[in-house]
Amino acid sequence: MITHVSIPLVQGDVRRSYLKRMHPASGFALIGVAVALRLDQDRRCDWCRIAITGAASAAFRALKAERCLVGTAISGEIIREASMLAGEENVEFIGDPFGSSAYRRQMLPVYLRRALSTAIESALV
């Protein structure tokens, strides 16, 4: 039984985004990408979390993409590079009649690129 959950508050210029490709029957994510990152005054990423859902049997973090972003000045090139790394995580992609494992693996970089771009341009703090 869970009796307590503590989530630390991240201070600073934190940008967030969540995008998903919905399953047509259930509304659940065929692929879902949640991004939270913090930018310093020079628009360098100094903290990042990327979570993926719907693509595998359990949600997972895109650790390679996170490491690619942290410490860098955010640019289109860095976003593309990080997005491609997400598909290289050591997870077994799932498939069903609405989206094969190959489809989910192929769509992950697309949705991550969109989510990162949305987060970078957001005004959420």
Side-chain angles (χ1 to χ4, degrees):
M1 173 186 342
I2 298 173
T3 61
H4 180 81
V5 175
S6 176
I7 301 172
L9 180 63
V10 179
Q11 300 292 324
D13 185 13
V14 178
R15 310 291 180 102
R16 300 165 189 89
S17 177
Y18 175 72
L19 297 176
K20 74 176 179 177
R21 171 81 171 124
M22 287 194 329
H23 187 284
S26 68
F28 290 113
L30 286 173
I31 184 82
V33 178
V35 172
L37 54 83
R38 181 175 58 204
L39 302 178
D40 65 16
Q41 290 88 353
D42 299 323
R43 288 184 51 100
R44 295 180 72 83
C45 176
D46 66 1
W47 177 87
C48 180
R49 296 292 185 270
I50 300 169
I52 311 300
T53 188
S57 59
F60 64 95
R61 282 189 37 209
L63 298 172
K64 291 179 182 181
E66 290 176 5
R67 286 191 293 268
C68 176
L69 292 166
V70 172
T72 64
I74 300 299
S75 67
E77 182 179 328
I78 291 296
I79 289 173
R80 282 188 296 280
E81 184 180 337
S83 297
M84 295 309 294
L85 288 171
E88 297 177 9
E89 295 294 340
N90 188 22
V91 298
E92 187 174 328
F93 286 76
I94 60 172
D96 63 26
F98 295 101
S100 68
S101 59
Y103 173 78
R104 284 175 162 95
R105 183 179 296 277
Q106 200 169 34
M107 292 309 294
L108 176 54
V110 173
Y111 275 80
L112 179 52
R113 188 173 53 249
R114 291 175 184 172
L116 284 167
S117 297
T118 300
I120 298 302
E121 299 307 319
S122 76
L124 298 176
V125 178

